[in-house]
């Protein structure tokens, strides 16, 4: 349709909420319970845990913060602390 073809440019979202509430949540939970994860040299564990706990209780506002925490954690693992632990996410539904 003409309206569709000539509409203003639009971005697109990624399903962050679905990813972190599904297959990626075990990775987040493992990180929060890891006593020596280097991400907690720059992020307060109690604040991160609070955001995740609120998300698990149904507050979807923190999904972006959880996504950033996960990306930061992966970056720390890959650049500062060596290889990231293996998480078998493919077998989880």
């Amino acid at each position: 349709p003409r309206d569709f073809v000539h509409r203003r440019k639009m971005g697109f979202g990624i399903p962050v909420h679905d990813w972190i509430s599904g297959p990626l949540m075990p990775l987040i939970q493992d990180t929060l319970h890891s006593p020596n994860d280097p991400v907690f040299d720059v992020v307060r564990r109690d604040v991160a845990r609070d955001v995740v706990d609120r998300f698990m209780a149904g507050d979807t506002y923190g999904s972006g913060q959880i996504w950033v925490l996960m990306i930061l954690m992966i970056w720390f693992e890959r650049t500062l602390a060596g290889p990231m632990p293996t998480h078998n996410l493919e077998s989880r539904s």
Side-chain angles (χ1 to χ4, degrees):
R2 180 171 172 69
D3 291 343
F4 179 80
V5 172
H6 296 287
R7 71 180 181 190
R8 295 184 68 165
K9 183 177 177 180
M10 295 176 63
F12 59 92
I14 57 173
V16 170
H17 180 271
D18 295 338
W19 292 341
I20 64 173
S21 63
L24 296 179
M25 185 49 75
L27 180 65
I28 299 296
Q29 293 291 347
D30 289 349
T31 300
L32 288 175
H33 298 311
S34 175
N36 299 320
D37 198 294
V39 75
F40 297 113
D41 291 341
V42 296
V43 174
R44 287 182 39 197
R45 184 185 310 268
D46 60 327
V47 173
R49 185 169 288 169
D50 182 57
V51 170
V52 172
D53 288 347
R54 284 187 287 139
F55 179 80
M56 296 295 288
D59 180 5
T60 59
Y61 179 75
S63 60
Q65 293 171 322
I66 296 170
W67 178 256
V68 170
L69 173 66
M70 188 191 70
I71 298 302
L72 182 63
M73 183 273 300
I74 292 170
W75 181 82
F76 264 82
E77 290 288 335
R78 293 203 175 172
T79 60
L80 302 177
M84 190 171 123
T86 303
H87 293 275
N88 190 3
L89 299 176
E90 291 80 27
S91 66
R92 298 179 184 170
S93 300

